[in-house]
Amino acid sequence: MALSRLDSLYMAVVSDHSKNPHHHGRLDGVEAVQLNNPICGDVISLAVKFDGDIIEDIAFSGHGCTISTASSSMMTDAVIGKSKADALELAEIFSIMVQGKTDERQEELGDASFMAGVSKFPQRIKCATLSWNALKKSIERSEM
């Protein structure tokens, strides 16, 4: 069975983000939030540096499946330079999208919009949302 052009593009973008993740590493002097997905063993450590209300820098480390790593890379690209409120809104859009619901704001996610196909594989939704949940926790922690 041949893949459609869209499926091929999806696979290429996800594969590239997984093999060459953006913002992968650590941030000195920033306490990271660590989350894991015990179902498949994904572990992410997310460090977010804020300048007031703005995400000034962001980095993730850990290990995970292709979906988890690609989603983390895409998430960092989508939120760097955004306000906390805008980042939380993107996290909500992403969550709605991977559950298979449509949202006209989906294009605001950038490459992360390619993760919409995860909705066809419910067991992979936790892999895709792990970094986004770490982002929410990082923002919540910064407000304390």
Side-chain angles (χ1 to χ4, degrees):
M1 181 165 131
L3 290 174
S4 72
R5 287 182 189 204
L6 186 57
D7 288 338
S8 294
L9 179 59
Y10 160 81
M11 289 178 60
V13 171
V14 170
S15 179
D16 183 54
H17 275 278
S18 179
K19 290 177 183 173
N20 306 297
H22 305 175
H23 308 281
H24 188 261
R26 301 187 185 278
L27 295 179
D28 291 333
V30 178
E31 184 180 348
V33 168
Q34 185 168 322
L35 293 181
N36 71 328
N37 179 357
I39 295 170
C40 67
D42 295 340
V43 176
I44 183 172
S45 183
L46 183 71
V48 183
K49 182 178 180 185
F50 298 98
D51 181 9
D53 189 46
I54 303 298
I55 296 173
E56 181 180 321
D57 204 358
I58 189 167
F60 74 97
S61 60
H63 56 84
C65 66
T66 298
I67 297 295
S68 179
T69 302
S71 183
S72 298
S73 175
M74 294 170 176
M75 181 272 298
T76 60
D77 284 347
V79 302
I80 196 163
K82 299 278 195 275
S83 70
K84 293 174 184 177
D86 288 344
L88 289 172
E89 183 176 349
L90 290 175
E92 180 63 22
I93 294 166
F94 186 84
S95 179
I96 290 167
M97 178 190 74
V98 296
Q99 293 176 47
K101 301 169 190 159
T102 56
D103 189 309
E104 65 278 354
R105 303 169 297 168
Q106 205 168 301
E107 66 187 36
E108 294 175 31
L109 294 170
D111 281 356
S113 66
F114 282 102
M115 300 301 282
V118 169
S119 66
K120 297 175 188 170
F121 307 96
Q123 70 279 15
R124 303 308 296 254
I125 292 173
K126 288 188 180 190
C127 302
T129 57
L130 187 62
S131 60
W132 293 87
N133 289 333
L135 173 67
K136 289 189 250 182
K137 191 168 187 170
S138 293
I139 292 171
E140 179 183 296
R141 184 183 284 177
S142 77
E143 299 291 319
M144 299 175 125

